Amino acid sequence: MSSATTISLGLVEITPENEKAQIEKIENHIKLSISQGFSLEILGGEYPSNEFNGDRFLKGIYFRNVAFLKPLTLGGIEDGAAIIFENCTFQNFFPLRVEGVRTNTFLFENCTFPSAKVTADTASEDLGGMIIVSNSVIESAFFKKCLATIEFAKTSINKKLHLSALGNSSRKVDLYLNESELNCYEFLISHSNIDYFKICDSNSDIPSGAFFSVCSKIGNLWMLNTKAPKYSFGFDGSYSGRINIDSSEIGDIDISASLASESEKNKMNSISIRSSSIGEINACGRCFENPLDFTDTKFKKSPKFHGVDIPQGSIFPEHEFYYDKKGENTIRAYRTLRLAMEAQRAREEEGVFYQLEQESMLNTRVNGSKCFHFSFWYRLLSSFGTDYRRPLVILLCLLVSFSAIYSLLLSPVLGFRYDFDINVVVKGFVFSIKQMIYPFSALRSNDINNISLYDEELYLVLVGLLQSFISLLLIALSLLAVRWKFKRG
């Protein structure tokens, strides 16, 4: 191992007379130079220690072509400009650990870790070392040509995180972000082979950020208890793994593939997003091998599944979990899902997307007051013909309401000082049931020629006609919804 620190002092002449003064001058000059910050460069050789604790004045540490014989713990850099590992070799399987570091740039390039064979019953795989960065603040981090599992724990990344050529065709690595602040506006994984990419208990407070996966294989993306509402995730058409998101809040997810390419290239294992909130999911052109699961997931934007053969058994949430209900693109998105569910005879899901499609059409294409539009009342009374219970509930409520109105019309006197007449209430209730069971019976039971304008019989007939009309309408809506729900073919 070699290291060099150069401090220029100029030509200094030391004599017995000025020895003490000159030495004191040199010491002061060195202290002043160190207080302004310095960098340490270690080139080649072997590093036998298992720790490196930097001084608070250390601005940068550069390891180039160094062989580390023991597990290394790096710390003590409070305001660094750069930490660089380049062309280094780690002889021990245990991790490289970075703790309590604050630096602008963290670069890890073309370093090698040992591999160990782990034999299972059916197969064996190569495992490399680990890089753990914990309790640190990093402006930008770059990892290139690395065959080690990487973990960020309780770390804040504020600008960029670039991971290039992690793993190779014969060796997979893992990537973990645990309890970290993902505040980098650019997160890129390219030309990598990653088995597990897991984000747990992490947050992002930036107004916009993006993750991109380019020409990479990611077997499993797991996200748990993560809050990044403005952070979008994009995968190119080569992505074919699984996405599992639980109890998280994120932005848009783009896993779309070209509709013109071969279906074999567009295959993807599955998506499971449960009890979460997402922006827009774009899965156009994908071919899924397993059912989708969106249990209790909130969609801030309409999900895009154009050109997708959705597997049977897929789970979609109820109507109230979709917030986007306006726009022509939204109408087309819900129509695509409705037709897919109709082809599978999934009546409940078909009804959800039919209701969303009609509601989006109402909000998009109807200008002015919606109260005078048929679709408004169709939605209000029976959820566009998909809910047979709501008309029956409204019918029962109207039965009670009209009973009260009939009781008032049949009562000879009104006032709080009079006794409550149960007979009048019973008559009103019976008359209300009669108008519902025998529509327009008020016309048959009264002689219209003998009714005057101020006679209560006239008002009984008019209210009875109104109740009969509404009752017939509600019963028809309920029967149509029942027929739709249980129809075959």
Side-chain angles (χ1 to χ4, degrees):
M1 179 186 69
S2 64
S3 63
T5 302
T6 302
I7 301 176
S8 178
L9 300 175
L11 182 61
V12 178
E13 182 180 356
I14 300 178
T15 63
E17 291 78 13
N18 68 356
E19 178 180 1
K20 184 176 181 181
Q22 289 294 346
I23 291 177
E24 184 177 348
K25 180 180 178 181
I26 293 173
E27 290 178 348
N28 291 335
H29 191 88
I30 293 174
K31 290 180 180 178
L32 177 62
S33 299
I34 292 176
S35 66
Q36 293 174 352
F38 67 98
S39 297
L40 180 62
E41 186 175 6
I42 302 176
L43 302 176
E46 297 178 343
Y47 194 88
S49 178
N50 61 355
E51 64 179 0
F52 182 94
N53 290 316
D55 188 85
R56 62 191 178 93
F57 298 120
L58 183 63
K59 297 299 182 182
I61 177 71
Y62 303 86
F63 293 101
R64 289 186 173 91
N65 302 307
V66 177
F68 295 92
L69 304 181
K70 296 181 180 180
L72 179 65
T73 300
L74 178 66
I77 301 176
E78 300 179 0
D79 188 19
I83 298 176
I84 296 177
F85 290 85
E86 190 176 333
N87 299 319
C88 295
T89 302
F90 293 82
Q91 302 295 334
N92 198 289
F93 178 70
F94 294 99
L96 163 67
R97 186 181 297 272
V98 180
E99 293 183 348
V101 163
R102 190 180 187 95
T103 184
N104 289 333
T105 303
F106 188 94
L107 174 61
F108 202 91
E109 182 174 3
N110 200 27
C111 296
T112 60
F113 282 79
S115 62
K117 286 285 186 178
V118 177
T119 304
D121 294 336
T122 57
S124 64
E125 58 181 340
D126 285 330
L127 297 176
M130 287 189 66
I131 301 173
I132 300 177
V133 183
S134 63
N135 298 297
S136 300
V137 178
I138 300 174
E139 293 299 309
S140 298
F142 305 90
F143 291 80
K144 302 177 182 179
K145 296 182 180 179
C146 180
L147 297 179
T149 290
I150 302 172
E151 178 182 358
F152 294 95
K154 298 181 179 179
T155 294
S156 177
I157 305 171
N158 297 329
K159 288 186 178 179
K160 292 183 179 181
L161 177 58
H162 287 189
L163 307 174
S164 177
L166 300 186
N168 53 37
S169 58
S170 61
R171 188 163 163 184
K172 298 179 180 180
V173 299
D174 296 334
L175 177 62
Y176 300 99
L177 277 78
N178 296 322
E179 301 180 59
S180 296
E181 296 293 330
L182 194 61
N183 292 328
C184 52
Y185 57 85
E186 187 177 303
F187 185 175
L188 175 65
I189 296 179
S190 63
H191 302 89
S192 298
N193 189 3
I194 298 175
D195 190 10
Y196 281 93
F197 176 21
K198 195 169 185 179
I199 305 175
C200 293
D201 302 306
S202 298
N203 298 298
S204 177
D205 299 326
I206 58 175
S208 64
F211 164 85
F212 296 100
S213 172
V214 180
C215 299
S216 298
K217 293 182 179 180
I218 303 178
N220 300 273
L221 170 61
W222 291 80
M223 190 176 299
L224 180 64
N225 297 325
T226 294
K227 187 175 182 181
K230 301 296 183 179
Y231 217 90
S232 61
F233 292 79
F235 302 85
D236 65 359
S238 64
Y239 182 77
S240 59
R242 291 186 293 268
I243 293 179
N244 295 274
I245 300 175
D246 197 354
S247 304
S248 299
E249 182 180 1
I250 60 174
D252 298 342
I253 300 178
D254 187 355
I255 54 173
S256 60
S258 174
L259 294 174
S261 62
E262 299 178 10
S263 60
E264 190 69 25
K265 295 181 180 180
N266 295 345
K267 279 189 176 182
M268 183 174 172
N269 192 293
S270 65
I271 300 178
S272 175
I273 305 178
R274 301 168 59 89
S275 304
S276 300
S277 175
I278 63 175
E280 176 187 83
I281 179 168
N282 184 355
C284 297
R286 281 294 188 178
C287 180
F288 294 99
E289 298 176 347
N290 292 294
L292 313 177
D293 187 357
F294 298 105
T295 303
D296 295 336
T297 293
K298 299 176 182 178
F299 291 90
K300 298 177 184 177
K301 301 177 184 177
S302 56
K304 305 295 190 298
F305 283 88
H306 305 298
V308 178
D309 186 10
I310 299 176
Q312 291 193 8
S314 296
I315 301 174
F316 289 90
E318 297 295 329
H319 168 270
E320 59 269 16
F321 287 87
Y322 300 88
Y323 296 162
D324 186 11
K325 300 174 184 177
K326 189 173 183 179
E328 293 295 334
N329 290 333
T330 300
I331 296 172
R332 287 189 286 270
Y334 291 137
R335 182 181 296 127
T336 297
L337 288 168
R338 173 180 65 82
L339 293 175
M341 296 299 104
E342 182 181 5
Q344 297 181 12
R345 307 286 178 86
R347 297 300 180 202
E348 292 293 338
E349 290 80 4
E350 178 193 352
V352 168
F353 293 118
Y354 176 73
Q355 183 179 352
L356 289 168
E357 178 190 359
Q358 294 298 318
E359 194 169 347
S360 300
M361 293 174 63
L362 177 64
N363 295 332
T364 303
R365 300 174 181 176
V366 177
N367 298 320
S369 178
K370 299 181 178 64
C371 298
F372 301 101
H373 201 275
F374 174 76
S375 294
F376 174 81
W377 295 102
Y378 197 26
R379 178 189 65 178
L380 185 67
L381 296 177
S382 67
S383 298
F384 296 102
T386 62
D387 189 352
Y388 64 89
R389 302 179 188 89
R390 186 182 297 180
L392 297 179
V393 172
I394 297 175
L395 184 65
L396 293 177
C397 294
L398 290 178
L399 175 65
V400 176
S401 301
F402 278 103
S403 297
I405 295 174
Y406 295 138
S407 299
L408 293 176
L409 293 175
L410 293 173
S411 178
V413 290
L414 297 175
F416 292 105
R417 64 180 182 273
Y418 300 108
D419 294 333
F420 181 76
D421 191 347
I422 189 63
N423 292 325
V424 174
V425 175
V426 171
K427 290 181 180 179
F429 183 71
V430 171
F431 191 81
S432 180
I433 293 178
K434 187 177 181 181
Q435 305 313 305
M436 184 177 66
I437 298 177
Y438 302 104
F440 309 109
S441 60
L443 287 176
R444 294 193 297 268
S445 60
N446 291 278
D447 187 359
I448 303 299
N449 297 324
N450 297 327
I451 298 179
S452 64
L453 182 62
Y454 301 102
D455 193 349
E456 68 273 4
E457 293 291 333
L458 175 63
Y459 298 106
L460 280 174
V461 171
L462 294 177
V463 176
L465 292 176
L466 178 62
Q467 184 188 4
S468 297
F469 176 76
I470 296 176
S471 298
L472 283 177
L473 178 63
L474 292 173
I475 292 173
L477 289 175
S478 181
L479 291 176
L480 287 174
V482 170
R483 178 184 177 279
W484 169 83
K485 184 177 179 62
F486 296 102
K487 74 177 179 179
R488 298 293 180 265

